Amino acid sequence: MEQPVVIRHRAGLIVRLIDTATGQEIVQAGGTFVRDGGRVHPMQRPDGMLVFSDFSAQDCTFTVQTTRFLPKTVQLSAEQLAQRPPLVELHLIPDETYAARYPCCTLSGVLDGIEQLDAVRMGDKTCLARAFDERRQIFHLFNPHHLVLDRTYYAVVDPDACRYEPIEITEHLSGEKFRLAAPLQRPFGNHFPVARRVLGAVRRSGEYVFRVPEDSTRTRWLVRWRREGEEFFQTVDFALPDTMTLVSPPTAAEAGED
């Protein structure tokens, strides 16, 4: 009896594409994927994830271009690609054609030196922080509504100080226990909400854009951005146009010029 032939393909990269407007996975055919200037072609799994076989574990630039979303370029490290599984979650921002069809709220402008931008919706208290095991980096939540936290990017929000600490979930141990990529850096209280963190986009020119679905009942967001290594927070209310521009406080050097 002949032995069956087994063909194995090593997954060099697994990509999960997320629509920042809905928080849902993007499952659609097509799209262009480029590694260091050369096109690469994935296989699509039934769950929507994209699998790139024999994607070498070396530092590279990776770009995603797909319909109805702005292009996304990220730097992938050899360390990321050496993980098992080598899973990367990319958040794509709807473009103008998407926003014209499905009403969205947009925060955009130019801020010199901006390096990173993300935000959480304010007033969300469906999940609360409970405890953190620093040795094992396991985060415990109070999750009374049994919400599924199956994404990577979240935040522990301090509602009194209007700040939050970004976190990345690397492993889901249960509906209330998660392993984090790095230890928490700030103390937290049991009343601190844990919210989904929505990513924006910034360009070298200082242009930034953040886009979420239009919701007349929940218009307030807490935006975090980095400029020259410093972290800033600002409350943006899409019902109040005067708040919809990022305003960076002056640096010590700038303040001394007055």
Side-chain angles (χ1 to χ4, degrees), residues 13-149:
L13 176 65
I14 302 174
V15 175
R16 173 192 285 153
L17 299 180
I18 302 295
D19 178 348
T20 63
T22 64
Q24 301 300 312
E25 292 187 13
I26 300 170
V27 181
Q28 63 181 40
T32 300
F33 306 90
V34 178
R35 172 179 176 151
D36 290 339
R39 288 192 63 174
V40 289
H41 303 278
M43 298 179 291
Q44 188 168 48
R45 298 193 329 196
D47 60 6
M49 290 194 190
L50 303 171
V51 179
F52 296 83
S53 299
D54 299 321
F55 197 96
S56 61
Q58 298 174 337
D59 295 352
C60 66
T61 299
F62 184 71
T63 299
V64 177
Q65 294 178 305
T66 187
T67 57
R68 301 193 304 123
F69 295 92
L70 299 178
K72 177 82 171 184
T73 298
V74 295
Q75 300 296 321
L76 300 180
S77 67
E79 182 180 3
Q80 284 178 288
L81 296 171
Q83 294 176 359
R84 289 291 173 262
L87 174 63
V88 174
E89 183 177 286
L90 300 181
H91 289 224
L92 304 187
I93 298 174
D95 63 14
E96 288 74 13
T97 58
Y98 181 123
R101 184 174 180 182
Y102 304 101
C104 292
C105 295
T106 301
L107 174 72
S108 62
V110 179
L111 183 62
D112 186 44
I114 189 170
E115 301 163 343
Q116 182 183 354
L117 170 68
D118 53 41
V120 298
R121 193 190 296 272
M122 299 188 70
D124 190 353
K125 298 182 179 180
T126 50
C127 284
L128 301 176
R130 192 171 69 179
F132 179 62
D133 181 338
E134 187 169 351
R135 183 178 63 85
R136 297 189 295 165
Q137 294 186 189
I138 295 178
F139 194 33
H140 298 254
L141 303 183
F142 178 58
N143 187 6
H145 303 289
H146 305 290
L147 297 182
V148 178
L149 280 70

Side-chain angles (χ1 to χ4, degrees), residues 156 163-166 183-188 192 224 231 233:
V156 183
R163 297 178 60 89
Y164 62 80
E165 179 173 354
L184 293 174
Q185 300 299 313
R186 302 184 181 95
F188 61 88
F192 281 21
R224 179 186 75 107
E231 193 174 62
F233 290 87

Side-chain angles (χ1 to χ4, degrees), residues 100-228:
R101 184 174 180 182
Y102 304 101
C104 292
C105 295
T106 301
L107 174 72
S108 62
V110 179
L111 183 62
D112 186 44
I114 189 170
E115 301 163 343
Q116 182 183 354
L117 170 68
D118 53 41
V120 298
R121 193 190 296 272
M122 299 188 70
D124 190 353
K125 298 182 179 180
T126 50
C127 284
L128 301 176
R130 192 171 69 179
F132 179 62
D133 181 338
E134 187 169 351
R135 183 178 63 85
R136 297 189 295 165
Q137 294 186 189
I138 295 178
F139 194 33
H140 298 254
L141 303 183
F142 178 58
N143 187 6
H145 303 289
H146 305 290
L147 297 182
V148 178
L149 280 70
D150 59 351
R151 300 291 178 255
T152 298
Y153 302 106
Y154 290 88
V156 183
V157 185
D158 183 342
D160 299 323
C162 284
R163 297 178 60 89
Y164 62 80
E165 179 173 354
I167 60 175
E168 295 186 22
I169 294 177
T170 60
E171 185 178 0
H172 298 74
L173 304 175
S174 72
E176 296 187 344
K177 292 198 307 183
F178 306 88
R179 195 181 307 277
L180 302 186
L184 293 174
Q185 300 299 313
R186 302 184 181 95
F188 61 88
N190 290 338
H191 66 292
F192 281 21
V194 175
R196 182 172 72 93
R197 184 158 49 103
V198 180
L199 307 187
V202 299
R203 298 184 176 92
R204 292 182 180 178
S205 60
E207 294 179 89
Y208 62 84
V209 60
F210 173 80
R211 188 167 282 137
V212 291
E214 188 175 286
D215 184 345
S216 60
T217 63
R218 304 176 67 195
T219 59
R220 299 177 70 240
W221 288 77
L222 181 58
V223 179
R224 179 186 75 107
W225 76 96
R226 297 186 66 83
R227 177 193 179 204
E228 299 175 353

